[in-house]
Amino acid sequence: MPSWKPMDIRPCSRYCMISLMFGVHPISSRQEIMGDTSLGRYNKNPRMRVQKAENVNKALEFIRQRGIKLTNIGPEDIMDGNLKLILGMIWTLVLRFTIADISTEGLSAKEGLLLWCQRKTAPYKEVDVQDFSISWSDGLALCALLHCHRPDLIDYDKLNKSDRHGNTRLAFQVAADHLGIPQLLEVEDLCDSDRPDERSVMTYIASYFHAFSTMDQAETVSRRVEKFAELMQSVWTSKNDYERRARNLLLALAEVQEQWRARRFTGTYTDAKKQSSAFTTYKQTTKRLWVAERQDVTTLFSNIQTKLRTYGLREYVPPAGLSLSDIDNAWNELLDSEAKRSRSINAQIREIKESLRKQFADLANDFSQRLHCVSLDLASVEGPLEEQQEQVRKVQLRVPSLADTLARVAKAENDCTEANVEENDYTVFTWQDLDFELELVTQAIAKKISFIDNQIVSRNMTNLTPAQLEQFETTFRYFDRDETNTLILSEFIAALASLGVVYSEEDMAYIYDQLVQEYGAATFEAFINLLVDIMEDQTSPEQLRDSFRGIAGDKPFVTELDMRLAQLPVSAIEYLREVLPSLKNEAGEPEYDYETWLHDVFA
């Protein structure tokens, strides 16, 4: 049975041990609190000795059922106040419910807690934790634990290292006020005892372990939630943008068809030509804007799905009436309305040669269908990024044959123009319409390839933060004026300058030529890799001065403790102590002047 000194009674009696057994509440209810389970029925207000004995027996049996071994203690010992046996039992409970769950690298609870303390206090040269007794008698180890985790609560450098009572009292007060760690010990228990009681100290230090472990877990889960929230906010923004643009496009398509249904012909050639001209203007301006917007909305939807699949998230289902199929149906209705509008105009003008009309219409409609199929295939690209990359490149191989067909469409339209054929009942397309749409599809393919390539580069660029990748990608796209996913020299210089990277024109040209030689062009991958090289550690006076200032906490000097807290290797600390100019402060400790040293080294 453990041997307890009189000083041991104070911390234990303060927190629900002796008083629990002889206070107004029976010991059985206290065991329910510690064991987090019900003991069943017991005497809640025992008055007779036999009732008290029944309660104590029930509590002791509960302890044994939890696998806790008790030796030579019975209900009479507790009721009669056998202090030695009671304190031994209390230590067993403390060990089981407070300390037993502490484990580091497979060590026992005591060894694991000791190793944790040694690691946390290693940077503090005045602290040498070897046990749970005299190593804590000057209060510095407690202050070091607090400063290591919460440097905002204690200024360790300003502590009077010889004030044992003051340091211990400060640690007790800060732990209780700011971390909710109850003061299980008195200052005298640590400072005025030849050998502070190991069990009492271990119990108190375990409270630090649990408090700071909870703090670390809270920071981890907060970071994960923040990262996921940023991702979901990005997806949410894209979804809102898609729904807004899809809704506006559908509304515009419906409005123009309503206008067409309300218009009437006066029966004159001038009126028919006027309405024909207005219809042509619509197709060359408003309609093209809608074609581009439809393509952009389709691409935006595809990008949303790609991002969700990349992160394993649930596929996006647009609200009712705003899906791609709804847009396609509305677009087909628009095409039908355009056809009706075109036929109603063309019916007023009869100087058109039927053969040329059909010849052009067959070519144009076939081209439009083939172009639409290419667009649909592009929109349906899915799967892993590498598979998407291969699918899009196969779609791109179909563009040259479309260009050949479009040349035949242009010739057929020229034949109609020479024959004064200005309208066609068999098609709503002109060569310019199809050429414009072909250009849009070509650009969409190039954009899709660039997007997927950039996603692959971004996914593999693990040494950049998401915020940096977002900034660099946005900058690259902004200055890629011709949307080729490459930068010419002037765009390259402007992009770097916007990120704060400025060199002479000669150096910029040299860097650009090097990238072209290595990558074939200033691609997004080349741009990102260059920025990684620039952002990586450099041996420059400015960067080193900022690094020293970060270690020193913006002080014009650095201390040995600062370097230890920064976890510099011992060899590096010893070297810096030898070469850095230093002056001793009021406490006789050296303060190292890194500013002067850097100036001399780089001069």
Side-chain angles (χ1 to χ4, degrees):
M1 192 62 61
S3 176
W4 292 68
K5 299 178 182 180
M7 61 161 284
D8 303 330
I9 298 176
R10 289 195 300 273
C12 294
S13 63
R14 182 174 300 152
Y15 288 94
C16 76
M17 289 304 174
I18 300 297
S19 62
L20 293 182
M21 298 176 182
F22 299 102
V24 295
H25 296 289
I27 187 173
S28 302
S29 63
R30 301 300 177 174
Q31 292 296 341
E32 287 184 342
I33 295 173
M34 289 188 292
D36 193 24
T37 185
S38 175
L39 295 178
R41 298 182 60 183
Y42 55 84
N43 299 300
K44 297 186 179 297
N45 296 294
R47 299 183 181 277
M48 301 174 62
R49 183 176 177 84
V50 66
Q51 293 176 324
K52 296 179 180 180
E54 288 177 356
N55 283 351
V56 175
N57 261 326
K58 185 178 289 289
L60 293 177
E61 181 60 27
F62 169 79
I63 293 173
R64 294 188 182 96
Q65 290 176 354
R66 296 299 294 268
I68 302 173
K69 185 177 181 181
L70 299 177
T71 305
N72 297 330
I73 186 170
E76 294 81 6
D77 298 313
I78 295 177
M79 290 188 295
D80 294 339
N82 188 323
L83 184 59
K84 181 177 181 180
L85 294 181
I86 291 172
L87 291 178
M89 183 189 71
I90 291 173
W91 168 248
T92 301
L93 295 179
V94 170
L95 183 63
R96 171 61 178 84
F97 290 104
T98 303
I99 302 175
D101 60 341
I102 299 175
S103 178
T104 300
E105 298 183 1
L107 302 176
S108 67
K110 177 181 178 180
E111 293 171 336
L113 182 60
L114 183 62
L115 178 59
W116 179 78
C117 295
Q118 290 171 340
R119 286 180 173 174
K120 296 301 181 180
T121 60
Y124 302 84
K125 65 179 183 179
E126 300 89 358
V127 178
D128 184 18
V129 177
Q130 297 298 328
D131 52 37
F132 287 107
S133 183
I134 59 176
S135 296
W136 306 86
S137 60
D138 58 2
L140 291 178
L142 293 174
C143 291
L145 276 182
L146 292 169
H147 182 265
C148 176
H149 291 90
R150 290 290 303 274
D152 57 310
L153 299 180
I154 285 184
D155 190 342
Y156 185 87
D157 293 336
K158 293 184 178 180
L159 293 177
N160 182 354
K161 307 302 188 298
S162 61
D163 186 2
R164 300 160 59 86
H165 291 76
N167 294 334
T168 303
R169 187 177 297 105
L170 175 63
F172 283 169
Q173 189 66 38
V174 169
D177 293 346
H178 297 279
L179 301 177
I181 299 176
Q183 183 179 335
L184 302 181
L185 302 169
E186 299 293 346
V187 174
E188 294 76 10
D189 295 338
L190 287 180
C191 300
D192 297 341
S193 176
D194 292 338
R195 188 169 185 80
D197 183 75
E198 182 180 56
R199 295 176 179 85
S200 300
V201 174
M202 190 188 309
T203 302
Y204 181 59
I205 298 304
S207 301
Y208 282 64
F209 175 86
H210 291 300
F212 292 130
S213 296
T214 301
M215 183 187 304
D216 293 341
Q217 293 171 3
E219 291 176 354
T220 298
V221 299
S222 296
R223 183 181 66 253
R224 291 173 180 171
V225 170
E226 177 185 1
K227 183 177 180 181
F228 184 75
E230 291 176 351
L231 169 64
M232 294 307 295
Q233 183 180 20
S234 172
V235 174
W236 178 82
T237 300
S238 298
K239 289 180 179 178
N240 284 349
D241 188 32
Y242 167 82
E243 293 171 13
R244 175 184 57 81
R245 295 171 68 175
R247 189 176 292 108
N248 291 341
L249 178 61
L250 292 173
L251 179 62
L253 299 185
E255 288 178 349
V256 74
Q257 294 175 73
E258 182 62 29
Q259 293 173 7
W260 291 341
R261 286 190 289 268
R263 289 179 182 171
R264 296 292 182 269
F265 291 105
T266 63
T268 65
Y269 179 80
T270 301
D271 176 67
K273 291 292 294 179
K274 183 179 179 181
Q275 294 199 37
S276 176
S277 177
F279 184 69
T280 301
T281 300
Y282 147 79
K283 290 198 298 180
Q284 294 177 349
T285 56
T286 304
K287 171 71 178 300
R288 292 182 181 180
L289 294 177
W290 292 347
V291 171
E293 180 65 2
R294 180 193 179 201
Q295 185 66 58
D296 289 343
V297 167
T298 302
T299 301
L300 177 58
F301 180 85
S302 177
N303 291 345
I304 292 173
Q305 302 294 47
T306 297
K307 196 166 195 177
L308 291 173
R309 294 189 190 104
T310 299
Y311 291 95
L313 299 176
R314 182 179 299 172
E315 185 174 346
Y316 168 53
V317 178
L322 295 181
S323 67
L324 287 184
S325 60
D326 293 323
I327 295 177
D328 286 341
N329 291 337
W331 192 261
N332 290 332
E333 290 177 5
L334 175 69
L335 295 181
D336 291 340
S337 297
E338 287 179 351
K340 293 176 182 178
R341 178 66 177 163
S342 179
R343 286 194 295 270
S344 65
I345 294 174
N346 293 340
Q348 305 294 313
I349 305 171
R350 302 188 181 279
E351 302 117 294
I352 303 172
K353 295 182 179 180
E354 195 72 5
S355 61
L356 290 178
R357 219 183 267 127
K358 289 184 178 181
Q359 180 184 4
F360 175 79
D362 290 340
L363 287 171
N365 291 338
D366 177 69
F367 180 89
S368 176
Q369 183 62 34
R370 291 171 59 192
L371 191 62
H372 183 59
C373 290
V374 169
S375 180
L376 289 177
D377 291 343
L378 181 63
S380 63
V381 168
E382 60 181 6
L385 292 175
E386 287 74 10
E387 293 182 11
Q388 292 188 37
Q389 190 180 51
E390 181 64 23
Q391 294 175 36
V392 176
R393 295 198 184 281
K394 288 182 179 180
V395 171
Q396 190 180 39
L397 294 177
R398 295 156 59 184
V399 173
S401 63
L402 286 173
D404 294 339
T405 302
L406 186 62
R408 290 193 289 153
V409 173
K411 183 179 183 306
E413 184 177 77
N414 184 63
D415 293 341
C416 291
T417 301
E418 291 178 353
N420 295 320
V421 176
E422 299 179 357
E423 58 280 317
N424 193 330
D425 291 340
Y426 302 98
T427 184
V428 296
F429 301 109
T430 66
W431 172 84
Q432 289 181 331
D433 295 335
L434 300 177
D435 180 67
F436 178 74
E437 293 189 32
L438 176 61
E439 180 63 22
L440 283 178
V441 172
T442 303
Q443 292 177 4
I445 294 173
K447 289 180 180 178
K448 189 67 175 181
I449 291 176
S450 298
F451 177 79
I452 296 174
D453 290 344
N454 295 349
Q455 286 294 307
I456 293 176
V457 172
S458 298
R459 181 192 63 190
N460 298 333
M461 199 61 60
T462 57
N463 53 346
L464 291 179
T465 66
Q468 286 177 313
L469 283 173
E470 182 74 16
Q471 180 187 21
F472 296 164
E473 183 176 1
T474 302
T475 301
F476 184 89
R477 289 181 178 177
Y478 178 81
F479 289 98
D480 181 17
R481 307 295 187 185
D482 53 1
E483 298 180 339
T484 60
N485 208 36
T486 60
L487 300 177
I488 62 176
L489 179 58
S490 60
E491 294 171 341
F492 176 77
I493 294 174
L496 289 182
S498 71
L499 295 171
V501 180
V502 180
Y503 300 106
S504 66
E505 292 185 4
E506 182 178 354
D507 289 341
M508 283 291 191
Y510 175 79
I511 295 172
Y512 182 84
D513 290 341
Q514 291 295 108
L515 291 181
V516 172
Q517 291 180 15
E518 183 174 356
Y519 295 93
T523 63
F524 178 75
E525 181 180 7
F527 185 72
I528 288 293
N529 287 331
L530 173 64
L531 289 174
V532 170
D533 292 339
I534 294 174
M535 299 303 177
E536 286 180 342
D537 292 341
Q538 306 169 6
T539 307
S540 66
E542 294 76 11
Q543 190 179 75
L544 288 174
R545 185 172 291 105
D546 289 341
S547 299
F548 268 102
R549 188 174 294 118
I551 292 176
D554 289 330
K555 299 192 300 291
F557 60 86
V558 66
T559 66
E560 183 176 346
L561 177 60
D562 291 334
M563 292 186 283
R564 290 181 183 275
L565 287 175
Q567 299 183 351
L568 293 181
V570 175
S571 59
I573 295 176
E574 292 177 352
Y575 171 75
L576 293 174
R577 288 174 54 193
E578 290 292 328
V579 299
L580 291 177
S582 65
L583 292 175
K584 292 189 176 181
N585 58 20
E586 297 178 358
E589 297 174 339
E591 297 175 346
Y592 298 98
D593 182 0
Y594 57 86
E595 293 275 359
T596 301
W597 182 66
L598 288 176
H599 180 272
D600 293 339
V601 170
F602 285 96

